[in-house]
Amino acid sequence: MDELLKIKDLHVEFQSGGRFLPAIDGLSLEVHKHEAVGIVGESGSGKSVTSLAVMRLLPEEGCRVSGEIDFEGRDLLQLPEKEMENVRGNRIAMIFQEPMTSLNPVQTCGRQIAESILLHTKATKKEAGDRALELLRLCGIPNPEQRMKEYPHQMSGGMRQRVMIAVALACDPVLLIADEPTTALDVTIQAQIMQLLRDIRAEKDMSVILITHDLGIVSDFCDRVAVVYTGEVMEIAPTRQLFSEPLHPYTEGLISALPQLGQAKGKLPTIEGVVPDAGEMPEGCRFNPRCKYATDKCRAENPPLTELPDGRCVRCFYAKGVEKA
C-alpha cells in the first residue's frame, strides 16, 4: 500500500510553570492511501494534539514541535504558512470535536461551506453555493435549501455535526481527520454519523484518521488501530488482530473494560490508576505503575516500539513475539 501520511518521531511540548512538558513523545505512525486508521487512548493520551500537529493548528507561543510529518512527499512542519494554507482544508480536512464551537455562530451554514470552496478553488459564488447545497444533501440533511440559510444555533447537535462534515468535504480532501466526531451525541445519532462517514469514505475513496476513546466505533470502522498512551504509541495492529489478540497490557485493559452483551451483572474490569501528569512521568515504561505484569526491568527501562514479523508493532518487553533480552 502507498503511504499518504507518515509521522516520524513527533515531539510536542507545551510550556507550563517555566518549563516545557511533553504532550507527544516520539510518536510515529503511517496512514496509507484509502485506509482508515484509528487512534485510541484515554483522555490526556495525546490523540487530539497529534491531529492538531498534523494540521499545523497548535499555538506558536508556548509550544515546541519537532519531528517529521510527511504528506504527499512534503514535510508539513517545514512548509511556509502560505503553502500550508493550501493543504489545510483542501488536501487534508478535519472534523472537530464540538461543532458548536467550531462553526462560526454569525454565519449561515451554507456560507461556511461555500467559504472553503471559494478559498481553495476558482469557483464562482453561485458554483460554490450549488456545491454547498449538494454537500448538505450528501450529508443527509433534510430540507437543505432551508438549512443553507440557517445559523448553527438553529440546528440540533447531530445536524451541526453533519454541517461540519460538509465543510470538511467541500474540497474533496484525500485525508479526513475526524476527532471524536460523535462526542455528546446520543447513541442513535452516533450510529447515523458513523454510517455517513463510512458511506462517504467508500464513495470518495479517501483515507481517514479516526480519533476516539470509543473502541466499539473503531472496531467497526477502522482497518488498523494505534493505541496511544502518554504521547507514545503502545501498539499498532490490524483491527481484527488487535481485538482478538491484544499484545500490550494497556490494550488488553482497554478491551477488557468494554461491556459485552449477555455479560453477568457486576463491576466492569478497569485499569487501575490514572494517566500520569506530563510533569510527573514514571521512570521506565510509562504504563508500568498501572500494569499488573510490570517487572523491575519495566520500572527501569522504557521499551522501544518493536515491529514484529507479522507487521504489528508493540512497546513492551514481554509481549508475544518480542525477543527477550
Side-chain angles (χ1 to χ4, degrees):
M1 297 174 72
D2 295 333
E3 283 178 6
L4 179 66
L5 178 77
K6 185 172 184 177
I7 303 171
K8 186 177 179 182
D9 196 29
L10 178 65
H11 292 259
V12 178
E13 298 174 303
F14 292 105
Q15 191 170 21
S16 176
R19 58 177 178 152
F20 281 90
L21 302 177
I24 302 294
D25 197 2
L27 184 143
S28 296
L29 180 67
E30 298 173 5
V31 180
H32 300 107
K33 291 180 180 178
H34 322 304
E35 181 183 39
V37 175
I39 302 180
V40 302
E42 295 167 279
S43 297
S45 59
K47 307 184 300 297
S48 294
V49 173
T50 301
S51 67
L52 293 173
V54 171
M55 296 295 287
R56 285 261 302 269
L57 290 174
L58 291 169
E60 292 185 10
E61 295 294 323
C63 179
R64 297 194 303 211
V65 183
S66 63
E68 293 180 29
I69 301 177
D70 188 283
F71 175 71
E72 296 185 325
R74 295 186 294 174
D75 184 358
L76 298 183
L77 296 182
Q78 303 302 321
L79 283 186
E81 178 56 28
K82 194 68 179 174
E83 289 185 42
M84 188 63 204
E85 287 175 3
N86 292 327
V87 174
R88 188 191 300 123
N90 185 16
R91 302 297 290 166
I92 307 176
M94 186 167 174
I95 303 168
F96 295 90
Q97 284 191 35
E98 178 43 66
M100 197 59 202
T101 56
S102 302
L103 293 170
N104 190 329
V106 297
Q107 282 192 1
T108 63
C109 294
R111 183 174 177 183
Q112 293 186 60
I113 300 168
E115 185 177 44
S116 181
I117 299 165
L118 291 169
L119 179 65
H120 293 293
T121 72
K122 296 179 180 178
T124 64
K125 283 189 177 181
K126 184 182 184 309
E127 289 169 340
D130 291 344
R131 171 68 173 152
L133 186 62
E134 177 190 334
L135 284 163
L136 288 177
R137 285 199 187 99
L138 175 68
C139 291
I141 293 181
N143 195 9
E145 291 85 0
Q146 177 60 34
R147 296 294 190 180
M148 284 274 290
K149 305 170 189 175
E150 292 184 354
Y151 294 87
H153 73 272
Q154 295 176 281
M155 296 186 173
S156 67
M159 285 297 113
R160 286 195 293 266
Q161 194 63 287
R162 289 171 186 269
V163 172
M164 276 292 300
I165 294 170
V167 172
L169 295 175
C171 296
D172 288 325
V174 294
L175 175 62
L176 178 67
I177 302 174
D179 186 2
E180 301 278 9
T182 58
T183 296
L185 301 177
D186 66 49
V187 175
T188 304
I189 303 300
Q190 282 186 23
Q192 292 175 4
I193 294 296
M194 291 312 300
Q195 186 58 52
L196 172 62
L197 288 176
R198 194 176 293 109
D199 293 343
I200 289 171
R201 180 196 166 202
E203 181 178 330
K204 303 291 184 180
D205 203 20
M206 63 185 175
S207 300
V208 178
I209 297 176
L210 175 64
I211 296 168
T212 182
H213 61 274
D214 191 329
L215 289 172
I217 289 175
V218 163
S219 67
D220 193 43
F221 186 85
C222 296
D223 302 308
R224 282 190 307 132
V225 184
V227 180
V228 178
Y229 184 75
T230 63
E232 294 183 334
V233 172
M234 296 289 128
E235 182 170 355
I236 305 174
T239 305
R240 285 188 179 182
Q241 281 184 286
L242 186 99
F243 280 86
S244 63
E245 189 186 9
L247 296 180
H248 197 282
Y250 182 54
T251 312
E252 181 184 302
L254 291 175
I255 293 172
S256 67
L258 283 172
Q260 304 292 328
L261 283 174
Q263 187 173 18
K265 289 182 179 179
K267 189 177 178 182
L268 282 171
T270 59
I271 304 174
E272 296 297 326
V274 295
V275 179
D277 185 80
E280 300 175 356
M281 288 297 173
E283 292 292 323
C285 173
R286 299 278 176 84
F287 187 62
N288 88 76
R290 306 175 68 188
C291 181
K292 58 186 177 182
Y293 308 114
T295 67
D296 289 342
K297 182 175 184 177
C298 304
R299 287 182 275 271
E301 301 175 42
N302 193 13
L305 186 65
T306 303
E307 184 172 352
L308 306 181
D310 63 359
R312 298 177 68 170
C313 296
V314 63
R315 188 185 297 276
C316 181
F317 290 122
Y318 302 105
K320 180 180 176 182
V322 176
E323 289 188 19
K324 309 300 187 288

